Amino acid sequence: MEDQQNLEAIMGLIMYGGNAKSDAMEAIAAAKKGDFDLAEQKIRDAEASLVEAHHSQTQMLTQEAQGNHMQVTLLTVHSQDHLMTSIAFTDLAKEIIDLYRRTYVE
């Protein structure tokens, strides 16, 4: 994988991971206000961003599996960390929304 393709894949992880985390945070804020329709939409948006991030990650992994080894840089590590944090945050956001939903139902 050439350097430009590496950079595009890495930046895709960071960008889509960041979008997912932002949407998940907005979902929590909506649930806190009792707007569960918006919360669910924001979670769907977060999940869509995570799918796009996974496409970038798969591109990198495919190249690696084909023997096109890339140099691991701090930016590469950061992008993977950003993605994993966003996945965990989105999963936790779903749980927090469920807790808020229970509070509003009772």
Side-chain angles (χ1 to χ4, degrees):
M1 190 182 239
E2 65 181 55
D3 290 341
Q4 184 63 32
Q5 285 178 312
N6 283 339
L7 185 58
E8 287 175 14
I10 289 167
M11 295 312 290
L13 289 176
I14 293 170
M15 180 183 68
Y16 289 117
N19 289 348
K21 189 174 178 190
S22 293
D23 285 331
M25 191 61 147
E26 289 177 24
I28 293 170
K32 188 174 187 178
K33 294 177 183 176
D35 189 346
F36 295 104
D37 289 336
L38 179 58
E40 292 301 324
Q41 180 58 53
K42 288 296 182 177
I43 287 296
R44 285 191 298 273
D45 293 345
E47 289 173 336
S49 289
L50 290 175
V51 167
E52 291 301 320
H54 277 291
H55 290 311
S56 293
Q57 186 181 49
T58 300
Q59 178 185 354
M60 294 167 62
L61 293 171
T62 300
Q63 290 297 317
E64 185 75 21
Q66 292 174 347
N68 301 320
H69 304 292
M70 67 181 284
Q71 180 180 1
V72 177
T73 65
L74 183 57
L75 191 58
T76 310
V77 173
H78 174 68
S79 70
Q80 293 294 319
D81 180 56
H82 206 60
L83 174 59
M84 296 310 297
T85 301
S86 297
I87 291 168
F89 194 88
T90 300
D91 288 344
L92 285 171
K94 292 175 192 177
E95 294 299 320
I96 292 168
I97 291 165
D98 186 49
L99 290 172
Y100 277 123
R101 190 182 323 271
R102 290 180 191 192
T103 301
Y104 276 89
V105 170
E106 294 176 358

